[in-house]
Amino acid sequence: MASSLDLSAWWAKKIRNGTPVVVTMQNPNYSVVEIDGPGAAAFRSMDKDRGKNAKQFTWVLLLKAHRAVGCVAWLATALWALLRAVKKRLLLRRGFSTESDKPGKGRSLLRFLRAFLVLSVVMLAFEMIAYWKGWHFKKPNLHLPDNLHIPEATEIRGWMHTAYLSWLAFRADYIAYPIQVVTNFCIVLFIIQSLDRMILCLGCFWIKLKKIKPSINGDPFKSDHIEGSGSEYPMVLVQIPMCNEREVYEQSISAACQIDWPRDRLLVQVLDDSDDETIKLLIRAEVSKWSQRGINIVYRHRLIRTGYKAGNLKSAMSCDYVKDFEFVAIFDADFTPNPDFLKKTIPHFKRNPELGLVQARWSFVNKDENLLTRLQNINLCFHFEVEQQVNGIFLNFFGFNGTAGVWRIKALEDSGGWLERTTVEDMDIAVRAHLNGWKFIFLNDVKVVLCEVPESFEAYRKQQHRWHSGPMHLFRVCLPAIIASKISIWKKANLVLLFFLLRKLILPFYSFTLFCVILPLSMFVPEAELPIWVICYIPVLMSLLNILPAPRSLPFIVPYLLFENTMSVTKFNAMVVGLFQLGSSYEWIVTKKAGRSSESDLLMASERDSKPIHRGVSEGELVELNKLKDQQVAAPPPAKKENQIYKKELALALLLLTAAFRSLLSAQGIHFYFLLFQGVSFLLVGLDLIGEQMS
């Protein structure tokens, strides 16, 4: 406590010149005295410093005010741009989601969301009237009769008041408890899934700490015999399945033909399922071009396209010459492997007869194209860096990614080959190979394959629908085989409980149920509480863990969290479709590619085109190439692309915004902000304002 100075006695005895001012301030904490007179220079210097500090403080306030005004202006500009985009999209009505418009395809979920939206609007209106009339109870509880004062008959103000009180009693006695039970069940699933993700991250950290990775012993291509050196290079078959891949066929064929491997021990199969005659001619011409340069390459086209990609691969493996090959490398049409791909993958098979698959990591050429590609990159980096690597190191099993991998042909044959029973033939063959005792290796440090991620939300949505409906369909099909297999019980438990149920079924189920149904419902039935840590803390922690493999994406943590919840609608719908084998559970829609290439790819393409084609081209091939050039000149312009409007996402956007407005009545801050931003996120996605925009 500062000392208190009382100068009143001195002031009474002494007369001074001027107009002296003495201000004495006393309180329990401090005393301040200002004196005008001799010896006051020290006080004047302090006053001068105070004035200087006051000016600095004023400038700081002005700077903060300027920043605040700039932030408000930016928010206003963004809101205005959003409203203009919404108005334009709704007035023009450029299109609708094809999935919702087809009969029996996602209609049940859409009807449920519409009914939920109408009910929420009615309840909001009812609550607004009650709040306006002063009937609103701020802290309701499940035990309504013990904690809530029910007015006596003399206090009831008309039939509407009676109806509101009856609704409160009915809500607490019959609605809140079932909702709370479902909420607690989803929270338990949420915690289990979060623990699984944390364990995977700890496993990845351990791998990095101990520098664990698959290794190659010795020189794998050094001959142990006096005979020719080529005997150490096994026969490898490279397969490129494609279907109407006009934008990317050239770069994939070019990259496969330039793989560094003895030409007499390599064969490239171009498996074309295209139904467009022009594209077929283009691909056939590209194959012919490389064939004239001495590359062993063949073109195969099926007249009847059954079984999608699985049927295409199965047909190619039935060729007589396949029995001469030991390994097969598979690349989708948008994948461009580096020349040293086989030299980094094939050596792992040597002296490891139990190894059936070597999977390489993907690298993306268009990950920074727009916000959608950046968010996809976060998910895929976590998938490869954490999920695939940890499962490969500790379990020797993971889901085959369908491309950028090398299979031992004997492992494919022992597992029954490619089957056409699902749209996830890659996961199907991986599960069957695992049941037969084959081991897998994932090469996280071999980023030798460039590929694309979908740039438009329409393409990404269709891809995710297939990736989440296929595993559930496969789970129904292969569950009896898993139970009857001879693998250990813990491997069966890993397959059923973790690989399928937890990561393919539970994740989309609780994401949609908890954040898109229970959360807005709890705003209208506040007796059923959803803890703040479920809404905020754990999701933010899980998002941080997901972003760790892609640290440059840290600024996108909030958009990532909101977008993942937005995609839960598509994933939940796909999961239900696949689990119950509904109409679209066996539907394959080719993901559209943009044909992006890196600068190195473009330089390689220019060098390749500058090389002359070897003479000896047949007369028929020259006629075909000339006809193809004429067709390219006279080809009609491509069909105009348009952005879509997605009804389910729009319905959920309105539902969440309605629930956000309702949360204001209960003064629930975090709930309000979460519902508001999540509703805006659904609105942006529903109007197709994320990803590639068509002019």
Side-chain angles (χ1 to χ4, degrees):
M1 179 184 298
S3 62
S4 177
L5 299 178
D6 189 358
L7 302 178
S8 56
W10 177 84
W11 171 251
K13 294 178 180 179
K14 189 166 182 68
I15 300 175
R16 300 175 55 220
N17 295 330
T19 308
V21 177
V22 179
V23 180
T24 302
M25 302 177 63
Q26 295 181 354
N27 65 27
N29 296 321
Y30 61 88
S31 298
V32 179
V33 181
E34 297 184 8
I35 304 174
D36 185 13
F43 290 96
R44 289 194 184 97
S45 63
M46 291 175 62
D47 292 340
K48 187 176 180 181
D49 291 340
R50 286 196 189 99
K52 186 177 180 181
N53 291 336
K55 290 181 180 179
Q56 293 177 350
F57 182 68
T58 304
W59 278 109
V60 170
L61 288 180
L62 288 175
L63 287 174
K64 290 188 176 182
H66 181 266
R67 291 178 181 176
V69 171
C71 182
V72 171
W74 181 83
L75 289 174
T77 304
L79 181 61
W80 179 251
L82 174 62
L83 292 176
R84 288 182 60 187
V86 170
K87 179 182 176 182
K88 182 179 179 181
R89 191 61 52 82
L90 291 179
L91 288 179
L92 294 180
R93 297 180 66 86
R94 290 185 165 186
F96 289 94
S97 171
T98 55
E99 187 179 36
S100 295
D101 286 340
K102 292 182 180 180
K105 196 173 180 186
R107 303 291 295 179
S108 299
L109 182 59
L110 181 59
R111 292 193 191 100
F112 167 76
L113 294 176
R114 283 176 173 172
F116 194 6
L117 175 60
V118 172
L119 183 62
S120 66
V121 172
V122 172
M123 289 191 293
L124 177 62
F126 201 22
E127 292 285 348
M128 286 293 296
I129 295 173
Y131 192 84
W132 181 263
K133 291 183 176 292
W135 304 336
H136 182 68
F137 300 99
K138 293 184 178 179
K139 294 183 179 180
N141 195 281
L142 277 173
H143 304 287
L144 182 63
D146 300 330
N147 296 277
L148 185 64
H149 168 65
I150 300 295
E152 301 293 337
T154 56
E155 301 177 22
I156 296 179
R157 310 166 190 172
W159 66 270
M160 187 171 289
H161 195 191
T162 305
Y164 183 69
L165 294 176
S166 301
W167 158 246
L168 288 181
F170 179 79
R171 188 176 74 185
D173 293 338
Y174 300 103
I175 298 180
Y177 182 73
I179 294 177
Q180 191 67 55
V181 171
V182 177
T183 300
N184 295 337
F185 177 68
C186 290
I187 290 175
V188 171
L189 297 180
F190 181 39
I191 293 174
I192 293 174
Q193 199 274 334
S194 300
L195 289 175
D196 173 65
R197 185 145 298 194
M198 292 184 67
I199 292 172
L200 287 174
C201 291
L202 289 175
C204 181
F205 176 76
W206 182 258
I207 291 172
K208 297 292 184 183
L209 183 65
K210 296 297 183 178
K211 298 181 180 180
I212 304 174
K213 63 178 182 179
S215 59
I216 303 172
N217 298 324
D219 186 357
F221 302 110
K222 184 178 180 180
S223 178
D224 297 330
H225 306 283
I226 304 178
E227 292 88 9
S229 60
S231 60
E232 288 299 317
Y233 288 87
M235 298 287 288
V236 179
L237 179 66
V238 176
Q239 295 180 332
I240 312 175
M242 59 180 64
C243 178
N244 296 325
E245 306 282 3
R246 187 189 194 107
E247 295 82 7
V248 294
Y249 75 92
E250 190 174 2
Q251 65 192 38
S252 61
I253 295 176
S254 171
C257 291
Q258 297 182 59
I259 291 179
D260 186 13
W261 202 256
R263 291 190 177 184
D264 60 334
R265 311 194 73 79
L266 181 71
L267 174 64
V268 179
Q269 279 186 326
V270 179
L271 313 177
D272 182 25
D273 262 3
S274 303
D275 53 10
D276 188 311
E277 291 297 329
T278 302
I279 298 177
K280 287 195 291 185
L281 287 173
L282 288 169
I283 296 174
R284 191 180 294 117
E286 184 70 16
V287 170
S288 177
K289 181 190 299 185
W290 284 101
S291 178
Q292 297 304 318
R293 292 179 178 176
I295 302 297
N296 293 327
I297 183 171
V298 295
Y299 173 86
R300 283 181 55 86
H301 177 75
R302 295 191 301 161
L303 297 178
I304 302 176
R305 184 182 173 231
T306 59
Y308 303 114
K309 182 180 176 181
N312 199 359
L313 295 172
K314 181 179 180 180
S315 173
M317 294 298 292
S318 64
C319 298
D320 293 336
Y321 54 79
V322 173
K323 65 179 182 295
D324 299 328
F325 292 85
E326 188 176 355
F327 303 102
V328 55
I330 303 172
F331 302 102
D332 283 349
D334 59 321
F335 281 69
T336 54
N338 285 349
D340 59 351
F341 176 81
L342 292 181
K343 289 189 175 181
K344 289 185 175 181
T345 54
I346 295 293
H348 290 277
F349 289 97
K350 190 174 183 180
R351 303 184 184 93
N352 195 355
E354 296 181 347
L355 184 60
L357 167 67
V358 174
Q359 173 73 59
R361 181 172 176 172
W362 302 355
S363 181
F364 310 102
V365 296
N366 62 337
K367 62 183 178 181
D368 297 324
E369 188 65 26
N370 54 46
L371 178 60
L372 178 61
T373 58
R374 291 177 185 272
L375 299 181
Q376 292 179 70
N377 182 60
I378 295 174
N379 268 339
L380 291 170
C381 284
F382 181 85
H383 170 69
F384 288 113
E385 185 87 12
V386 179
E387 293 178 340
Q388 297 291 76
Q389 182 176 209
V390 171
N391 289 325
I393 292 294
F394 294 106
L395 301 178
N396 293 122
F397 167 72
F398 48 83
F400 174 45
N401 293 118
T403 178
V406 181
W407 277 94
R408 190 188 297 270
I409 294 181
K410 188 176 185 301
L412 291 177
E413 294 173 347
D414 288 350
S415 305
W418 299 103
L419 299 182
E420 307 170 11
R421 56 185 181 176
T422 68
T423 57
V424 283
E425 74 294 326
D426 45 6
M427 186 180 295
D428 188 1
I429 188 64
V431 170
R432 287 184 283 119
H434 180 58
L435 296 180
N436 281 275
W438 291 97
K439 296 181 179 180
F440 303 162
I441 284 180
F442 178 75
L443 303 179
N444 185 62
D445 57 340
V446 182
K447 302 177 184 179
V448 296
V449 181
L450 294 174
C451 62
E452 294 184 17
V453 290
E455 296 182 8
S456 68
F457 181 72
E458 180 184 9
Y460 178 65
R461 190 167 181 260
K462 292 176 180 177
Q463 181 195 70
Q464 292 300 304
H465 181 86
R466 177 168 59 86
W467 284 6
H468 286 81
S469 65
M472 287 296 95
H473 187 191
L474 176 63
F475 177 64
R476 284 183 53 127
V477 171
C478 69
L479 181 59
I482 295 175
I483 296 174
S485 64
K486 298 180 180 180
I487 60 175
S488 62
I489 295 179
W490 73 270
K491 288 185 177 181
K492 293 181 182 180
N494 172 68
L495 265 178
V496 175
L497 299 180
L498 294 181
F499 186 76
F500 279 113
L501 291 183
L502 183 60
R503 297 166 188 166
K504 303 297 188 296
L505 187 147
I506 291 177
L507 178 58
F509 170 77
Y510 85 75
S511 297
F512 174 75
T513 306
L514 200 60
F515 297 109
C516 299
V517 177
I518 292 178
L519 178 58
L521 190 59
S522 65
M523 296 298 102
F524 299 100
V525 187
E527 293 87 355
E529 297 181 0
L530 193 59
I532 293 179
W533 56 269
V534 175
I535 302 172
C536 181
Y537 303 140
I538 292 186
V540 171
L541 176 61
M542 293 299 104
S543 298
L544 282 173
L545 293 179
N546 281 11
I547 288 181
L548 285 180
R552 289 180 54 196
S553 302
L554 188 60
F556 301 96
I557 181 172
V558 174
Y560 173 74
L561 173 61
L562 297 174
F563 182 70
E564 281 301 291
N565 290 334
T566 305
M567 285 304 299
S568 65
V569 184
T570 298
K571 295 176 181 178
F572 175 80
N573 184 48
M575 181 269 293
V576 173
V577 166
L579 186 62
F580 297 101
Q581 294 186 355
L582 302 179
S584 57
S585 62
Y586 192 70
E587 180 183 19
W588 184 298
I589 299 176
V590 178
T591 305
K592 295 298 293 181
K593 284 87 175 179
R596 308 253 178 211
S597 299
S598 62
E599 292 183 5
S600 60
D601 296 327
L602 295 176
L603 290 174
M604 289 170 58
S606 62
E607 292 176 1
R608 182 200 65 210
D609 292 338
S610 64
K611 296 179 182 179
I613 298 179
H614 293 177
R615 297 187 180 276
V617 181
S618 65
E619 193 173 319
E621 289 175 342
L622 288 176
V623 172
E624 183 178 303
L625 289 174
N626 291 330
K627 187 204 302 190
L628 180 60
K629 291 179 180 179
D630 295 338
Q631 286 188 3
Q632 284 183 295
V633 173
K640 183 180 179 182
K641 297 180 180 179
E642 295 179 343
N643 290 99
Q644 305 292 312
I645 292 179
Y646 301 99
K647 297 179 181 179
K648 288 193 286 289
E649 282 77 5
L650 282 181
L652 265 170
L654 298 177
L655 173 63
L656 293 175
L657 292 176
T658 303
F661 190 78
R662 170 62 182 84
S663 69
L664 288 177
L665 303 181
S666 303
Q668 294 172 301
I670 293 182
H671 294 74
F672 167 74
Y673 289 114
F674 182 87
L675 288 166
L676 177 63
F677 290 121
Q678 193 64 68
V680 172
S681 175
F682 269 104
L683 182 63
L684 294 175
V685 171
L687 295 174
D688 202 4
L689 294 174
I690 184 173
E692 184 182 16
Q693 298 297 304
M694 309 300 177
S695 60

